Amino acid sequence: MNTNSKSDSYAAAGVDITAGYKAVELMKTHIARTFTNGATSEIGGFGGLFDLDLTGISKPVLVSGTDGVGTKLKIAFLLDKHDTVGIDCVAMCVNDIICCGAKPLFFLDYIACGKNYPEKIASIVSGVAEGCVQSGVTLIGGETAEMPGFYPVDEYDLAGFSVGVADKDKIIDNSKMKEGDVIIALPSSGVHSNGFSLVRKVFDVENEDISSPVEELDGKSIGETLLTPTKIYVKPVLKLLESVTVKGISHITGGGFYENIPRSIPKGLGAKIIKENIRVLPIFKLIAQKGNISERDMFNTFNMGVGMSIVVDKQDASKAIEIFKQSGEDAYIIGSIIKSDEGVTIC
């Protein structure tokens, strides 16, 4: 740790440089867990280096994704639990990258805070590292910015980005999708990281108790349920791509079914979703009931228990589901591709 760099004047303005050094030292053990064969630099330099192995890729295309955790962070603040939101941050990026069939390679995070509490920053990064491990990417760098007067001292924002690689000839572009193809659902772990402005309003989280057990949530509290990390689908999807031709993938985020599923479907085709097939999680039933939210708005805001949808040929559906189950994903069919200009029909 750098013990020579210290500014009393900067500290008087609210920025503690030495706290930043301590935070970096505390997070290094977490970061080391993420190193893959491409990692070529240690944390602390001016740039993150990654050795790109293009073996077996004839026409490499870099694919990037960036996102944040959003107002889900407010739940972390209320519960004073900061070691899971980093998983959400990674998930929101790598789950997007995998939609075109690319393999995520590395990740960088950005934390902006009102005051740098080294242990809290290290806890946040421990979640980022766990998300990187789950998705097989290296955490090659990041930035922690102490911004007094801009953020409250006990609050922070968290965002990041990831870069992956795909073979241009194997990119999933929906060009082979046709009527009769099957839509497979990968279950979500909960609300993931979208719709929290509405969720916070429904449960009035700043004023109501969200830490007591709730019967409808199998004895878990609202806070614990909402803070459940976003599921990362990278490894199961990459495994599927080894054996099955995938025609389209949608990451179900903000905008729910109606916005996200059509993004992977070409013009002239649509998705017919069988409502009774969807395994709606209890938290969504509770949100709809307590907030008096219409079914249409629920499906247009939340993932409803489906974190990702995969389109394959009908004859490949059983094989795809079996491969997913071998990866620990309880995949199931929720619909099919039809001739339509309506995007998504839920019936």
Side-chain angles (χ1 to χ4, degrees):
M1 185 170 71
N2 190 336
T3 58
N4 189 44
S5 177
K6 186 177 187 300
S7 171
D8 292 333
S9 298
Y10 210 2
V15 178
D16 187 349
I17 298 174
T18 58
Y21 297 143
K22 183 178 179 182
V24 170
E25 290 300 316
L26 290 174
M27 67 178 70
K28 280 186 176 180
T29 55
H30 302 299
I31 296 170
R33 296 177 54 219
T34 74
F35 288 169
T36 61
N37 292 335
T40 61
S41 62
E42 293 187 3
I43 296 297
F46 289 99
L49 307 181
F50 191 86
D51 187 6
L52 186 59
D53 182 3
L54 298 177
T55 304
I57 301 178
S58 59
K59 298 179 181 178
V61 176
L62 294 179
V63 182
S64 59
T66 185
D67 210 335
V69 183
T71 63
K72 181 174 184 173
L73 291 176
K74 288 285 189 180
I75 309 299
F77 303 158
L78 289 168
L79 299 182
D80 194 23
K81 182 174 173 56
H82 311 282
D83 60 347
T84 61
V85 289
I87 301 174
D88 293 291
C89 190
V90 175
M92 296 305 292
C93 298
V94 297
N95 282 347
D96 279 353
I97 288 175
I98 197 66
C99 286
C100 66
K103 178 183 178 181
L105 299 172
F106 58 81
F107 186 85
L108 288 92
D109 61 10
Y110 177 80
I111 304 169
C113 57
K115 182 174 177 57
N116 188 332
Y117 297 104
E119 290 77 12
K120 180 186 286 187
I121 298 299
S123 181
I124 297 168
V125 174
S126 74
V128 175
E130 175 58 28
C132 289
V133 170
Q134 289 183 23
S135 50
V137 305
T138 299
L139 180 55
I140 63 170
E143 173 70 14
T144 301
E146 192 172 18
M147 302 169 64
F150 195 87
Y151 291 96
V153 294
D154 291 324
E155 295 192 2
Y156 57 86
D157 197 7
L158 173 62
F161 78 92
S162 184
V163 174
V165 65
D167 195 321
K168 187 174 183 179
D169 293 334
K170 298 179 181 179
I171 290 175
I172 299 171
D173 62 2
N174 75 31
S175 61
K176 298 179 181 178
M177 198 176 295
K178 67 180 189 304
E179 181 183 13
D181 287 340
V182 170
I183 304 172
I184 296 173
L186 295 184
S188 71
S189 57
V191 183
H192 283 183
S193 298
N194 302 102
F196 272 83
S197 294
L198 178 56
V199 167
R200 288 167 42 240
K201 179 181 178 182
V202 167
F203 292 118
D204 192 15
V205 297
E206 279 82 11
N207 300 303
E208 298 292 334
D209 176 23
I210 61 170
S211 59
S212 298
V214 176
E215 182 179 352
E216 294 92 331
L217 301 177
D218 298 324
K220 291 184 177 181
S221 70
I222 290 172
E224 179 186 4
T225 302
L226 294 178
L227 210 53
T228 301
T230 304
K231 184 178 283 190
I232 292 175
Y233 301 100
V234 172
K235 292 180 179 179
V237 171
L238 288 177
K239 189 67 176 177
L240 178 71
L241 292 174
E242 294 176 1
S243 305
V244 173
T245 298
V246 175
K247 301 183 179 185
I249 304 178
S250 294
H251 182 201
I252 313 300
T253 56
F257 282 54
Y258 288 105
E259 180 178 326
N260 291 287
I261 293 180
R263 293 168 66 179
S264 66
I265 300 175
K267 290 183 179 180
L269 295 177
K272 179 181 179 181
I273 305 296
I274 308 302
K275 185 168 57 177
E276 65 181 17
N277 287 6
I278 299 171
R279 301 170 187 173
V280 179
L281 297 176
I283 184 62
F284 296 112
K285 296 177 182 178
L286 190 61
I287 291 170
Q289 177 186 353
K290 188 170 178 61
N292 192 28
I293 301 171
S294 70
E295 183 177 82
R296 167 80 190 200
D297 283 355
M298 288 296 296
F299 277 98
N300 206 169
T301 307
F302 302 106
N303 67 64
M304 300 300 285
V306 178
M308 187 163 276
S309 65
I310 317 285
V311 178
V312 300
D313 195 280
K314 185 176 182 179
Q315 65 181 13
D316 290 330
S318 296
K319 183 179 180 181
I321 290 173
E322 180 58 31
I323 291 172
F324 277 131
K325 289 189 175 181
Q326 290 173 4
S327 297
E329 292 293 334
D330 191 15
Y332 61 99
I333 295 173
I334 57 169
S336 60
I337 298 299
I338 60 173
K339 288 184 178 180
S340 174
D341 293 318
E342 297 298 319
V344 172
T345 302
I346 299 177
C347 55

